[in-house]
Amino acid sequence: MGSVLLAHALEFGKAHGCLLITLLTDADNLSAQRFYGRAGFQVSGMMPMRLVF
């Protein structure tokens, strides 16, 4: 189901002119990272910044 949903989201983005999709996973969520890697995503040099109230 996840592969179908991700494929649909990617096609939707392409169809609407999206040039970049960024995904976030927890550093220890290796299964999600493998899943996204199989879809072509690569590790980014970006660092997320967060402010929690």
Side-chain angles (χ1 to χ4, degrees), residues 16-32:
H16 288 83
C18 183
L19 301 177
L20 174 73
I21 294 178
T22 300
L23 299 170
L24 297 174
T25 67
D26 287 323
D28 62 352
N29 192 345
L30 300 180
S31 61

Side-chain angles (χ1 to χ4, degrees), residues 1-11 21 23 35-36 39 41:
M1 181 59 79
S3 297
V4 172
L5 291 171
L6 181 58
H8 180 55
L10 298 177
E11 287 304 317
I21 294 178
L23 299 170
F35 173 75
Y36 293 129
F41 286 85

